[in-house]
Amino acid sequence: EVQLVESGGGLVQPGGSLRLSCAASGFTFSRYAMDWARQAPGKGLEWVSTITSDGGYTSYADSVKGRFTISRDNAKNTLYLQMNSLKPEDTAVYYCALNGATPSGQGTQVTVSQ
């Protein structure tokens, strides 16, 4: 059974940084491209970033490009999202998922506010 557990969210001031983690189990993590997605209050799910199975290629939504960095450690079965220069509009629940799949985890709340 695929299990993805997100962590690292919290309350941060505008301009601050957070690093999200996603612990994967139940499948061969190193064989799959992975996504981060987010859902803001009252809005639909928004794709944020994708990384290939070997980490060699990444892509980002325009709204986060230049501020967020996706990475992975296949030895630790863990996906990361480094978020810098955070803005109030980044406030959302953040999810990790297999590439193209609907998130199945609980997500981690990120709140950017004074």
Side-chain angles (χ1 to χ4, degrees):
E1 178 187 1
V2 171
Q3 287 199 325
L4 298 168
V5 180
E6 302 91 345
S7 62
L11 174 63
V12 62
Q13 292 185 344
S17 298
L18 283 174
R19 188 195 197 199
L20 306 184
S21 298
C22 169
S25 62
F27 65 104
T28 305
F29 179 72
S30 61
R31 293 183 180 177
Y32 291 88
M34 298 292 294
D35 294 343
W36 282 101
R38 66 186 182 185
Q39 187 163 23
K43 297 190 177 181
L45 193 66
E46 176 191 16
W47 169 77
V48 172
S49 184
T50 296
I51 187 167
T52 51
S53 58
D54 65 354
Y57 178 79
T58 58
S59 58
Y60 299 92
D62 287 344
S63 58
V64 306
K65 197 172 295 182
R67 299 187 298 120
F68 290 11
T69 302
I70 190 172
S71 63
R72 66 191 295 157
D73 185 337
N74 285 343
K76 295 182 178 180
N77 289 348
T78 303
L79 179 72
Y80 302 101
L81 186 69
Q82 178 67 44
M83 306 187 296
N84 298 330
S85 303
L86 282 162
K87 304 176 181 180
E89 51 263 44
D90 294 318
T91 295
V93 178
Y94 284 72
Y95 301 92
C96 60
L98 276 73
N99 178 232
T102 300
S104 59
Q106 296 295 313
T108 187
Q109 175 71 49
V110 172
T111 303
V112 185
S113 175
Q114 293 281 6

